[in-house]
Amino acid sequence: MATKHDIANYRHGETLQLSITLSNDAGLVTSGTVVFRAGQRGQAALVELPLTHAGSGLWTLDANASALAPLTSGAVFGYEIWETASARVFLTGELRVNRSLSVPT
């Protein structure tokens, strides 16, 4: 069963960094393809990015602003982290994209 974790403080235009230790019935997940996928519920994913295995079951995501550009400011998107071969979802939640602060010039 997937764990739920909401990300309420993502600012549009910033890098999103996540780290998660993944395990299944066989132990730590140390290989395979693990993906971060985000979009509107019931629609195709707007963003799908691979995580990198950093050792000992720790997986990291370092998504730059351009990779997350399809996520509209002021919107709420569902996301999940899943392993593609088994189609197992490890983490789900909502990603709240705040409006960027603009400085008058």
Side-chain angles (χ1 to χ4, degrees):
M1 178 172 217
T3 301
K4 184 169 180 352
H5 174 74
D6 292 335
I7 302 170
N9 58 353
Y10 173 70
R11 288 221 166 274
H12 198 262
E14 293 182 351
T15 297
L16 177 63
Q17 296 176 319
L18 297 172
S19 297
I20 182 173
T21 300
L22 302 179
S23 62
N24 57 27
D25 294 338
L28 294 174
V29 176
T30 59
S31 63
T33 302
V34 177
V35 175
F36 170 88
R37 178 170 50 191
Q40 295 289 349
R41 294 194 187 275
Q43 298 180 8
L46 295 171
V47 172
E48 191 164 305
L49 304 167
L51 277 74
T52 303
H53 184 242
S56 301
L58 179 67
W59 293 82
T60 61
L61 173 72
D62 191 8
N64 63 32
S66 64
L68 298 171
L71 304 180
T72 311
S73 287
V76 177
F77 298 91
Y79 82 90
E80 61 187 17
I81 293 178
W82 65 294
E83 197 273 319
T84 60
S86 67
R88 179 174 176 173
V89 176
F90 289 95
L91 186 68
T92 65
E94 291 184 343
L95 174 66
R96 167 91 173 122
V97 182
N98 296 325
R99 294 189 188 278
S100 297
L101 296 174
S102 49
V103 179
T105 54

